PDB file of all heavy atoms in Angstrom:
ATOM      1  N   ALA A  95      19.690  26.771   8.808  1.00 49.00           N
ATOM      2  CA  ALA A  95      20.313  27.711   9.747  1.00 49.00           C
ATOM      3  C   ALA A  95      19.736  29.111   9.627  1.00 49.00           C
ATOM      4  O   ALA A  95      19.498  29.793  10.619  1.00 49.00           O
ATOM      5  CB  ALA A  95      21.832  27.735   9.521  1.00 49.00           C
ATOM      6  N   ARG A  96      19.466  29.544   8.398  1.00 47.00           N
ATOM      7  CA  ARG A  96      18.983  30.919   8.217  1.00 47.00           C
ATOM      8  C   ARG A  96      17.550  31.102   8.709  1.00 47.00           C
ATOM      9  O   ARG A  96      17.080  32.222   8.861  1.00 47.00           O
ATOM     10  CB  ARG A  96      19.080  31.312   6.740  1.00 47.00           C
ATOM     11  CG  ARG A  96      18.154  30.507   5.838  1.00 47.00           C
ATOM     12  CD  ARG A  96      18.278  30.937   4.382  1.00 47.00           C
ATOM     13  NE  ARG A  96      17.378  30.222   3.503  1.00 47.00           N
ATOM     14  CZ  ARG A  96      17.594  29.024   3.022  1.00 47.00           C
ATOM     15  NH1 ARG A  96      18.723  28.398   3.334  1.00 47.00           N
ATOM     16  NH2 ARG A  96      16.715  28.431   2.227  1.00 47.00           N
ATOM     17  N   GLN A  97      16.837  29.959   8.912  1.00 45.00           N
ATOM     18  CA  GLN A  97      15.447  30.056   9.333  1.00 45.00           C
ATOM     19  C   GLN A  97      15.234  29.682  10.791  1.00 45.00           C
ATOM     20  O   GLN A  97      14.130  29.746  11.303  1.00 45.00           O
ATOM     21  CB  GLN A  97      14.575  29.132   8.455  1.00 45.00           C
ATOM     22  CG  GLN A  97      14.563  29.520   6.995  1.00 45.00           C
ATOM     23  CD  GLN A  97      13.729  28.577   6.161  1.00 45.00           C
ATOM     24  OE1 GLN A  97      13.059  27.700   6.675  1.00 45.00           O
ATOM     25  NE2 GLN A  97      13.757  28.764   4.853  1.00 45.00           N
ATOM     26  N   ARG A  98      16.295  29.285  11.485  1.00 45.00           N
ATOM     27  CA  ARG A  98      16.125  28.859  12.865  1.00 45.00           C
ATOM     28  C   ARG A  98      15.779  30.040  13.750  1.00 45.00           C
ATOM     29  O   ARG A  98      16.384  31.104  13.674  1.00 45.00           O
ATOM     30  CB  ARG A  98      17.408  28.188  13.380  1.00 45.00           C
ATOM     31  CG  ARG A  98      17.671  26.848  12.713  1.00 45.00           C
ATOM     32  CD  ARG A  98      18.984  26.261  13.193  1.00 45.00           C
ATOM     33  NE  ARG A  98      19.353  25.113  12.374  1.00 45.00           N
ATOM     34  CZ  ARG A  98      20.536  24.545  12.401  1.00 45.00           C
ATOM     35  NH1 ARG A  98      21.474  25.011  13.190  1.00 45.00           N
ATOM     36  NH2 ARG A  98      20.781  23.507  11.629  1.00 45.00           N
ATOM     37  N   ASN A  99      14.815  29.821  14.624  1.00 47.00           N
ATOM     38  CA  ASN A  99      14.406  30.855  15.559  1.00 47.00           C
ATOM     39  C   ASN A  99      15.024  30.595  16.926  1.00 47.00           C
ATOM     40  O   ASN A  99      15.230  29.456  17.318  1.00 47.00           O
ATOM     41  CB  ASN A  99      12.876  30.865  15.707  1.00 47.00           C
ATOM     42  CG  ASN A  99      12.198  31.253  14.419  1.00 47.00           C
ATOM     43  OD1 ASN A  99      12.690  32.106  13.692  1.00 47.00           O
ATOM     44  ND2 ASN A  99      11.069  30.622  14.129  1.00 47.00           N
ATOM     45  N   LEU A 100      15.323  31.662  17.649  1.00 46.00           N
ATOM     46  CA  LEU A 100      15.737  31.518  19.034  1.00 46.00           C
ATOM     47  C   LEU A 100      14.535  31.043  19.832  1.00 46.00           C
ATOM     48  O   LEU A 100      13.392  31.250  19.455  1.00 46.00           O
ATOM     49  CB  LEU A 100      16.233  32.861  19.573  1.00 46.00           C
ATOM     50  CG  LEU A 100      17.470  33.438  18.873  1.00 46.00           C
ATOM     51  CD1 LEU A 100      17.789  34.794  19.454  1.00 46.00           C
ATOM     52  CD2 LEU A 100      18.656  32.498  18.987  1.00 46.00           C
ATOM     53  N   TRP A 101      14.806  30.386  20.963  1.00 44.00           N
ATOM     54  CA  TRP A 101      13.716  29.903  21.810  1.00 44.00           C
ATOM     55  C   TRP A 101      12.870  31.083  22.272  1.00 44.00           C
ATOM     56  O   TRP A 101      13.371  32.027  22.864  1.00 44.00           O
ATOM     57  CB  TRP A 101      14.291  29.147  23.000  1.00 44.00           C
ATOM     58  CG  TRP A 101      13.262  28.828  24.042  1.00 44.00           C
ATOM     59  CD1 TRP A 101      13.099  29.448  25.247  1.00 44.00           C
ATOM     60  CD2 TRP A 101      12.252  27.826  23.974  1.00 44.00           C
ATOM     61  NE1 TRP A 101      12.064  28.877  25.944  1.00 44.00           N
ATOM     62  CE2 TRP A 101      11.523  27.888  25.186  1.00 44.00           C
ATOM     63  CE3 TRP A 101      11.894  26.885  23.012  1.00 44.00           C
ATOM     64  CZ2 TRP A 101      10.454  27.026  25.458  1.00 44.00           C
ATOM     65  CZ3 TRP A 101      10.834  26.037  23.278  1.00 44.00           C
ATOM     66  CH2 TRP A 101      10.126  26.121  24.482  1.00 44.00           C
ATOM     67  N   ARG A 102      11.568  31.051  21.975  1.00 50.00           N
ATOM     68  CA  ARG A 102      10.684  32.148  22.311  1.00 50.00           C
ATOM     69  C   ARG A 102       9.572  31.719  23.259  1.00 50.00           C
ATOM     70  O   ARG A 102       8.611  32.438  23.446  1.00 50.00           O
ATOM     71  CB  ARG A 102      10.047  32.733  21.038  1.00 50.00           C
ATOM     72  CG  ARG A 102      11.054  33.297  20.031  1.00 50.00           C
ATOM     73  CD  ARG A 102      11.839  34.441  20.620  1.00 50.00           C
ATOM     74  NE  ARG A 102      12.732  35.039  19.638  1.00 50.00           N
ATOM     75  CZ  ARG A 102      13.638  35.961  19.933  1.00 50.00           C
ATOM     76  NH1 ARG A 102      13.802  36.357  21.175  1.00 50.00           N
ATOM     77  NH2 ARG A 102      14.421  36.458  18.990  1.00 50.00           N
ATOM     78  N   GLY A 103       9.721  30.560  23.865  1.00 53.00           N
ATOM     79  CA  GLY A 103       8.646  30.063  24.704  1.00 53.00           C
ATOM     80  C   GLY A 103       8.659  30.582  26.126  1.00 53.00           C
ATOM     81  O   GLY A 103       7.746  30.312  26.891  1.00 53.00           O
ATOM     82  N   GLY A 104       9.693  31.315  26.531  1.00 72.00           N
ATOM     83  CA  GLY A 104       9.790  31.766  27.902  1.00 72.00           C
ATOM     84  C   GLY A 104      10.522  30.741  28.745  1.00 72.00           C
ATOM     85  O   GLY A 104      10.433  29.540  28.517  1.00 72.00           O
ATOM     86  N   GLU A 105      11.260  31.207  29.731  1.00 83.00           N
ATOM     87  CA  GLU A 105      12.092  30.316  30.534  1.00 83.00           C
ATOM     88  C   GLU A 105      11.282  29.402  31.439  1.00 83.00           C
ATOM     89  O   GLU A 105      11.708  28.308  31.769  1.00 83.00           O
ATOM     90  CB  GLU A 105      13.091  31.135  31.348  1.00 83.00           C
ATOM     91  CG  GLU A 105      14.207  31.719  30.492  1.00 83.00           C
ATOM     92  CD  GLU A 105      14.950  30.633  29.730  1.00 83.00           C
ATOM     93  OE1 GLU A 105      15.623  29.808  30.361  1.00 83.00           O
ATOM     94  OE2 GLU A 105      14.842  30.609  28.491  1.00 83.00           O
ATOM     95  N   THR A 106      10.106  29.835  31.872  1.00 83.00           N
ATOM     96  CA  THR A 106       9.267  28.965  32.699  1.00 83.00           C
ATOM     97  C   THR A 106       8.832  27.745  31.903  1.00 83.00           C
ATOM     98  O   THR A 106       8.896  26.608  32.391  1.00 83.00           O
ATOM     99  CB  THR A 106       8.022  29.721  33.200  1.00 83.00           C
ATOM    100  OG1 THR A 106       8.439  30.838  34.001  1.00 83.00           O
ATOM    101  CG2 THR A 106       7.132  28.822  34.041  1.00 83.00           C
ATOM    102  N   LEU A 107       8.407  27.953  30.664  1.00 84.00           N
ATOM    103  CA  LEU A 107       7.981  26.850  29.809  1.00 84.00           C
ATOM    104  C   LEU A 107       9.160  25.942  29.470  1.00 84.00           C
ATOM    105  O   LEU A 107       9.015  24.721  29.415  1.00 84.00           O
ATOM    106  CB  LEU A 107       7.351  27.391  28.525  1.00 84.00           C
ATOM    107  CG  LEU A 107       6.649  26.386  27.620  1.00 84.00           C
ATOM    108  CD1 LEU A 107       5.409  25.820  28.282  1.00 84.00           C
ATOM    109  CD2 LEU A 107       6.277  27.035  26.285  1.00 84.00           C
ATOM    110  N   ARG A 108      10.304  26.535  29.281  1.00 87.00           N
ATOM    111  CA  ARG A 108      11.484  25.737  28.951  1.00 87.00           C
ATOM    112  C   ARG A 108      11.962  24.925  30.155  1.00 87.00           C
ATOM    113  O   ARG A 108      12.467  23.805  30.007  1.00 87.00           O
ATOM    114  CB  ARG A 108      12.613  26.638  28.451  1.00 87.00           C
ATOM    115  CG  ARG A 108      13.826  25.839  28.020  1.00 87.00           C
ATOM    116  CD  ARG A 108      14.874  26.715  27.385  1.00 87.00           C
ATOM    117  NE  ARG A 108      15.945  25.884  26.839  1.00 87.00           N
ATOM    118  CZ  ARG A 108      17.017  26.358  26.231  1.00 87.00           C
ATOM    119  NH1 ARG A 108      17.163  27.663  26.082  1.00 87.00           N
ATOM    120  NH2 ARG A 108      17.934  25.543  25.763  1.00 87.00           N
ATOM    121  N   HIS A 109      11.799  25.457  31.328  1.00 91.00           N
ATOM    122  CA  HIS A 109      12.272  24.793  32.542  1.00 91.00           C
ATOM    123  C   HIS A 109      11.496  23.506  32.805  1.00 91.00           C
ATOM    124  O   HIS A 109      12.090  22.454  33.068  1.00 91.00           O
ATOM    125  CB  HIS A 109      12.126  25.745  33.734  1.00 91.00           C
ATOM    126  CG  HIS A 109      12.798  25.271  34.977  1.00 91.00           C
ATOM    127  ND1 HIS A 109      14.150  25.089  35.074  1.00 91.00           N
ATOM    128  CD2 HIS A 109      12.285  24.931  36.195  1.00 91.00           C
ATOM    129  CE1 HIS A 109      14.459  24.667  36.288  1.00 91.00           C
ATOM    130  NE2 HIS A 109      13.344  24.562  36.983  1.00 91.00           N
ATOM    131  N   ALA A 110      10.178  23.568  32.724  1.00 92.00           N
ATOM    132  CA  ALA A 110       9.346  22.382  32.964  1.00 92.00           C
ATOM    133  C   ALA A 110       7.982  22.588  32.323  1.00 92.00           C
ATOM    134  O   ALA A 110       7.390  23.663  32.448  1.00 92.00           O
ATOM    135  CB  ALA A 110       9.189  22.122  34.458  1.00 92.00           C
ATOM    136  N   ARG A 111       7.512  21.565  31.637  1.00 90.00           N
ATOM    137  CA  ARG A 111       6.207  21.636  30.988  1.00 90.00           C
ATOM    138  C   ARG A 111       5.688  20.215  30.779  1.00 90.00           C
ATOM    139  O   ARG A 111       6.423  19.241  30.966  1.00 90.00           O
ATOM    140  CB  ARG A 111       6.306  22.350  29.628  1.00 90.00           C
ATOM    141  CG  ARG A 111       7.209  21.659  28.621  1.00 90.00           C
ATOM    142  CD  ARG A 111       7.340  22.439  27.318  1.00 90.00           C
ATOM    143  NE  ARG A 111       8.169  21.723  26.348  1.00 90.00           N
ATOM    144  CZ  ARG A 111       9.501  21.797  26.324  1.00 90.00           C
ATOM    145  NH1 ARG A 111      10.134  22.568  27.188  1.00 90.00           N
ATOM    146  NH2 ARG A 111      10.191  21.108  25.425  1.00 90.00           N
ATOM    147  N   THR A 112       4.441  20.114  30.397  1.00 88.00           N
ATOM    148  CA  THR A 112       3.888  18.806  30.065  1.00 88.00           C
ATOM    149  C   THR A 112       4.064  18.538  28.573  1.00 88.00           C
ATOM    150  O   THR A 112       4.050  19.451  27.757  1.00 88.00           O
ATOM    151  CB  THR A 112       2.394  18.733  30.413  1.00 88.00           C
ATOM    152  OG1 THR A 112       1.700  19.841  29.803  1.00 88.00           O
ATOM    153  CG2 THR A 112       2.174  18.775  31.916  1.00 88.00           C
ATOM    154  N   CYS A 113       4.247  17.274  28.266  1.00 84.00           N
ATOM    155  CA  CYS A 113       4.304  16.796  26.880  1.00 84.00           C
ATOM    156  C   CYS A 113       3.303  15.652  26.821  1.00 84.00           C
ATOM    157  O   CYS A 113       3.650  14.498  27.074  1.00 84.00           O
ATOM    158  CB  CYS A 113       5.717  16.327  26.541  1.00 84.00           C
ATOM    159  SG  CYS A 113       5.898  15.619  24.881  1.00 84.00           S
ATOM    160  N   TYR A 114       2.059  15.988  26.553  1.00 82.00           N
ATOM    161  CA  TYR A 114       0.930  15.062  26.627  1.00 82.00           C
ATOM    162  C   TYR A 114       0.786  14.570  28.062  1.00 82.00           C
ATOM    163  O   TYR A 114       0.385  15.334  28.931  1.00 82.00           O
ATOM    164  CB  TYR A 114       1.083  13.921  25.625  1.00 82.00           C
ATOM    165  CG  TYR A 114      -0.209  13.149  25.426  1.00 82.00           C
ATOM    166  CD1 TYR A 114      -1.348  13.785  24.941  1.00 82.00           C
ATOM    167  CD2 TYR A 114      -0.292  11.798  25.737  1.00 82.00           C
ATOM    168  CE1 TYR A 114      -2.538  13.085  24.768  1.00 82.00           C
ATOM    169  CE2 TYR A 114      -1.474  11.094  25.560  1.00 82.00           C
ATOM    170  CZ  TYR A 114      -2.592  11.739  25.077  1.00 82.00           C
ATOM    171  OH  TYR A 114      -3.767  11.047  24.906  1.00 82.00           O
ATOM    172  N   ASP A 115       1.175  13.323  28.385  1.00 84.00           N
ATOM    173  CA  ASP A 115       0.966  12.814  29.739  1.00 84.00           C
ATOM    174  C   ASP A 115       2.267  12.655  30.524  1.00 84.00           C
ATOM    175  O   ASP A 115       2.288  12.029  31.582  1.00 84.00           O
ATOM    176  CB  ASP A 115       0.230  11.472  29.702  1.00 84.00           C
ATOM    177  CG  ASP A 115       1.023  10.387  28.958  1.00 84.00           C
ATOM    178  OD1 ASP A 115       2.092  10.714  28.388  1.00 84.00           O
ATOM    179  OD2 ASP A 115       0.559   9.237  28.936  1.00 84.00           O
ATOM    180  N   HIS A 116       3.374  13.219  30.021  1.00 89.00           N
ATOM    181  CA  HIS A 116       4.629  13.136  30.745  1.00 89.00           C
ATOM    182  C   HIS A 116       5.293  14.512  30.802  1.00 89.00           C
ATOM    183  O   HIS A 116       4.763  15.481  30.273  1.00 89.00           O
ATOM    184  CB  HIS A 116       5.562  12.096  30.113  1.00 89.00           C
ATOM    185  CG  HIS A 116       5.859  12.343  28.665  1.00 89.00           C
ATOM    186  ND1 HIS A 116       5.036  11.923  27.639  1.00 89.00           N
ATOM    187  CD2 HIS A 116       6.889  12.984  28.055  1.00 89.00           C
ATOM    188  CE1 HIS A 116       5.543  12.270  26.483  1.00 89.00           C
ATOM    189  NE2 HIS A 116       6.667  12.926  26.709  1.00 89.00           N
ATOM    190  N   MET A 117       6.423  14.601  31.472  1.00 91.00           N
ATOM    191  CA  MET A 117       7.086  15.878  31.695  1.00 91.00           C
ATOM    192  C   MET A 117       8.172  16.119  30.659  1.00 91.00           C
ATOM    193  O   MET A 117       8.861  15.198  30.233  1.00 91.00           O
ATOM    194  CB  MET A 117       7.685  15.907  33.104  1.00 91.00           C
ATOM    195  CG  MET A 117       8.090  17.302  33.578  1.00 91.00           C
ATOM    196  SD  MET A 117       8.946  17.278  35.205  1.00 91.00           S
ATOM    197  CE  MET A 117       7.781  16.357  36.199  1.00 91.00           C
ATOM    198  N   ALA A 118       8.319  17.384  30.274  1.00 90.00           N
ATOM    199  CA  ALA A 118       9.348  17.788  29.321  1.00 90.00           C
ATOM    200  C   ALA A 118      10.075  19.006  29.873  1.00 90.00           C
ATOM    201  O   ALA A 118       9.733  19.548  30.917  1.00 90.00           O
ATOM    202  CB  ALA A 118       8.725  18.094  27.958  1.00 90.00           C
ATOM    203  N   GLY A 119      11.096  19.448  29.136  1.00 91.00           N
ATOM    204  CA  GLY A 119      11.868  20.607  29.549  1.00 91.00           C
ATOM    205  C   GLY A 119      13.143  20.217  30.277  1.00 91.00           C
ATOM    206  O   GLY A 119      13.519  19.050  30.363  1.00 91.00           O
ATOM    207  N   ARG A 120      13.841  21.222  30.802  1.00 92.00           N
ATOM    208  CA  ARG A 120      15.133  20.994  31.444  1.00 92.00           C
ATOM    209  C   ARG A 120      15.040  19.973  32.577  1.00 92.00           C
ATOM    210  O   ARG A 120      15.907  19.102  32.708  1.00 92.00           O
ATOM    211  CB  ARG A 120      15.670  22.312  32.003  1.00 92.00           C
ATOM    212  CG  ARG A 120      16.170  23.291  30.956  1.00 92.00           C
ATOM    213  CD  ARG A 120      16.546  24.590  31.641  1.00 92.00           C
ATOM    214  NE  ARG A 120      17.173  25.524  30.721  1.00 92.00           N
ATOM    215  CZ  ARG A 120      17.018  26.842  30.797  1.00 92.00           C
ATOM    216  NH1 ARG A 120      16.229  27.353  31.719  1.00 92.00           N
ATOM    217  NH2 ARG A 120      17.623  27.636  29.948  1.00 92.00           N
ATOM    218  N   ILE A 121      14.015  20.102  33.408  1.00 94.00           N
ATOM    219  CA  ILE A 121      13.879  19.201  34.545  1.00 94.00           C
ATOM    220  C   ILE A 121      13.731  17.763  34.070  1.00 94.00           C
ATOM    221  O   ILE A 121      14.370  16.842  34.599  1.00 94.00           O
ATOM    222  CB  ILE A 121      12.666  19.605  35.405  1.00 94.00           C
ATOM    223  CG1 ILE A 121      12.918  20.953  36.086  1.00 94.00           C
ATOM    224  CG2 ILE A 121      12.362  18.530  36.449  1.00 94.00           C
ATOM    225  CD1 ILE A 121      14.062  20.937  37.066  1.00 94.00           C
ATOM    226  N   ALA A 122      12.881  17.547  33.074  1.00 93.00           N
ATOM    227  CA  ALA A 122      12.639  16.194  32.583  1.00 93.00           C
ATOM    228  C   ALA A 122      13.886  15.598  31.945  1.00 93.00           C
ATOM    229  O   ALA A 122      14.175  14.403  32.115  1.00 93.00           O
ATOM    230  CB  ALA A 122      11.483  16.205  31.578  1.00 93.00           C
ATOM    231  N   VAL A 123      14.636  16.399  31.209  1.00 93.00           N
ATOM    232  CA  VAL A 123      15.880  15.923  30.601  1.00 93.00           C
ATOM    233  C   VAL A 123      16.897  15.567  31.691  1.00 93.00           C
ATOM    234  O   VAL A 123      17.607  14.561  31.606  1.00 93.00           O
ATOM    235  CB  VAL A 123      16.453  16.984  29.640  1.00 93.00           C
ATOM    236  CG1 VAL A 123      17.870  16.618  29.201  1.00 93.00           C
ATOM    237  CG2 VAL A 123      15.549  17.139  28.417  1.00 93.00           C
ATOM    238  N   ALA A 124      16.952  16.389  32.752  1.00 94.00           N
ATOM    239  CA  ALA A 124      17.866  16.115  33.854  1.00 94.00           C
ATOM    240  C   ALA A 124      17.502  14.815  34.566  1.00 94.00           C
ATOM    241  O   ALA A 124      18.376  14.040  34.952  1.00 94.00           O
ATOM    242  CB  ALA A 124      17.844  17.277  34.849  1.00 94.00           C
ATOM    243  N   ILE A 125      16.192  14.567  34.739  1.00 94.00           N
ATOM    244  CA  ILE A 125      15.746  13.321  35.365  1.00 94.00           C
ATOM    245  C   ILE A 125      16.157  12.126  34.507  1.00 94.00           C
ATOM    246  O   ILE A 125      16.658  11.118  35.019  1.00 94.00           O
ATOM    247  CB  ILE A 125      14.226  13.342  35.584  1.00 94.00           C
ATOM    248  CG1 ILE A 125      13.857  14.345  36.689  1.00 94.00           C
ATOM    249  CG2 ILE A 125      13.702  11.953  35.951  1.00 94.00           C
ATOM    250  CD1 ILE A 125      12.364  14.557  36.861  1.00 94.00           C
ATOM    251  N   ALA A 126      15.943  12.230  33.200  1.00 93.00           N
ATOM    252  CA  ALA A 126      16.332  11.144  32.297  1.00 93.00           C
ATOM    253  C   ALA A 126      17.839  10.904  32.356  1.00 93.00           C
ATOM    254  O   ALA A 126      18.297   9.752  32.416  1.00 93.00           O
ATOM    255  CB  ALA A 126      15.894  11.473  30.870  1.00 93.00           C
ATOM    256  N   ASP A 127      18.619  11.985  32.336  1.00 92.00           N
ATOM    257  CA  ASP A 127      20.074  11.849  32.427  1.00 92.00           C
ATOM    258  C   ASP A 127      20.472  11.111  33.700  1.00 92.00           C
ATOM    259  O   ASP A 127      21.326  10.219  33.683  1.00 92.00           O
ATOM    260  CB  ASP A 127      20.732  13.231  32.423  1.00 92.00           C
ATOM    261  CG  ASP A 127      20.780  13.862  31.045  1.00 92.00           C
ATOM    262  OD1 ASP A 127      20.499  13.154  30.060  1.00 92.00           O
ATOM    263  OD2 ASP A 127      21.092  15.059  30.961  1.00 92.00           O
ATOM    264  N   ARG A 128      19.856  11.503  34.798  1.00 92.00           N
ATOM    265  CA  ARG A 128      20.219  10.916  36.085  1.00 92.00           C
ATOM    266  C   ARG A 128      19.876   9.424  36.130  1.00 92.00           C
ATOM    267  O   ARG A 128      20.656   8.607  36.632  1.00 92.00           O
ATOM    268  CB  ARG A 128      19.495  11.659  37.209  1.00 92.00           C
ATOM    269  CG  ARG A 128      19.985  11.289  38.603  1.00 92.00           C
ATOM    270  CD  ARG A 128      21.475  11.537  38.731  1.00 92.00           C
ATOM    271  NE  ARG A 128      21.907  11.460  40.113  1.00 92.00           N
ATOM    272  CZ  ARG A 128      23.176  11.433  40.488  1.00 92.00           C
ATOM    273  NH1 ARG A 128      24.126  11.471  39.574  1.00 92.00           N
ATOM    274  NH2 ARG A 128      23.498  11.365  41.745  1.00 92.00           N
ATOM    275  N   MET A 129      18.722   9.068  35.601  1.00 91.00           N
ATOM    276  CA  MET A 129      18.306   7.675  35.634  1.00 91.00           C
ATOM    277  C   MET A 129      19.185   6.802  34.736  1.00 91.00           C
ATOM    278  O   MET A 129      19.432   5.637  35.035  1.00 91.00           O
ATOM    279  CB  MET A 129      16.834   7.558  35.250  1.00 91.00           C
ATOM    280  CG  MET A 129      15.902   8.219  36.255  1.00 91.00           C
ATOM    281  SD  MET A 129      14.187   7.695  36.090  1.00 91.00           S
ATOM    282  CE  MET A 129      14.280   6.013  36.722  1.00 91.00           C
ATOM    283  N   VAL A 130      19.662   7.381  33.647  1.00 92.00           N
ATOM    284  CA  VAL A 130      20.589   6.650  32.776  1.00 92.00           C
ATOM    285  C   VAL A 130      21.941   6.498  33.474  1.00 92.00           C
ATOM    286  O   VAL A 130      22.554   5.419  33.456  1.00 92.00           O
ATOM    287  CB  VAL A 130      20.747   7.368  31.422  1.00 92.00           C
ATOM    288  CG1 VAL A 130      21.898   6.774  30.624  1.00 92.00           C
ATOM    289  CG2 VAL A 130      19.460   7.271  30.619  1.00 92.00           C
ATOM    290  N   GLN A 131      22.426   7.565  34.090  1.00 91.00           N
ATOM    291  CA  GLN A 131      23.718   7.524  34.772  1.00 91.00           C
ATOM    292  C   GLN A 131      23.726   6.504  35.906  1.00 91.00           C
ATOM    293  O   GLN A 131      24.741   5.832  36.148  1.00 91.00           O
ATOM    294  CB  GLN A 131      24.065   8.907  35.327  1.00 91.00           C
ATOM    295  CG  GLN A 131      24.399   9.929  34.258  1.00 91.00           C
ATOM    296  CD  GLN A 131      24.294  11.349  34.766  1.00 91.00           C
ATOM    297  OE1 GLN A 131      24.044  11.577  35.959  1.00 91.00           O
ATOM    298  NE2 GLN A 131      24.470  12.312  33.873  1.00 91.00           N
ATOM    299  N   GLN A 132      22.593   6.368  36.589  1.00 90.00           N
ATOM    300  CA  GLN A 132      22.504   5.432  37.702  1.00 90.00           C
ATOM    301  C   GLN A 132      22.104   4.028  37.246  1.00 90.00           C
ATOM    302  O   GLN A 132      21.887   3.153  38.078  1.00 90.00           O
ATOM    303  CB  GLN A 132      21.474   5.943  38.721  1.00 90.00           C
ATOM    304  CG  GLN A 132      21.867   7.252  39.386  1.00 90.00           C
ATOM    305  CD  GLN A 132      22.965   7.054  40.410  1.00 90.00           C
ATOM    306  OE1 GLN A 132      23.993   6.450  40.116  1.00 90.00           O
ATOM    307  NE2 GLN A 132      22.748   7.535  41.611  1.00 90.00           N
TER     308      GLN A 132
END
Side-chain angles (χ1 to χ4, degrees):
R96 66 180 182 279
Q97 297 179 7
R98 291 177 191 168
N99 295 323
L100 297 177
W101 170 255
R102 299 298 184 188
E105 287 303 293
T106 299
L107 190 67
R108 183 174 187 181
H109 190 63
R111 61 183 182 275
T112 53
C113 177
Y114 194 61
D115 62 355
H116 57 276
M117 195 185 307
R120 287 175 174 146
I121 292 296
V123 169
I125 290 173
D127 283 349
R128 190 57 168 169
M129 295 197 72
V130 169
Q131 290 161 4
Q132 295 286 51

